[in-house]
Amino acid sequence: MQGPFTVEELLAHPEKHLAEEAFLRTYAGEQPLYAWILHNAFRYEKPLFVPKKPGRVMFVDLSEVWP
């Protein structure tokens, strides 16, 4: 993770986040923003079905659905 960033700093690199200015400003409010740096990221050919579990908000243990 890197940061903190201001909205203006992120707007200088739209190819890295693909977020609109209005979204960044609304999401940030008065708080700084942080960026997750992903390595070896790829898109699955077909989306994986991941059952929802209480409390799971952001991270998924793919070992539950991926062989």
Side-chain angles (χ1 to χ4, degrees):
M1 185 168 57
Q2 292 185 353
F5 296 106
T6 64
V7 170
E8 287 72 24
E9 289 173 313
L10 291 180
L11 288 175
H13 304 281
E15 74 285 353
K16 294 184 178 180
H17 56 75
L18 304 178
E20 303 271 339
E21 180 178 355
F23 172 82
L24 289 174
R25 292 194 184 285
T26 300
Y27 185 79
E30 298 296 320
Q31 301 298 315
L33 295 166
Y34 294 84
W36 290 88
I37 308 303
L38 304 178
H39 297 281
N40 301 320
F42 64 93
R43 185 180 298 265
Y44 290 97
E45 286 184 29
K46 287 179 26 180
L48 297 175
F49 172 75
V50 178
K52 293 192 181 228
K53 294 185 178 180
R56 183 173 286 172
V57 177
M58 194 175 221
F59 297 98
V60 174
D61 180 358
L62 291 180
S63 67
E64 298 174 12
V65 296
W66 187 261

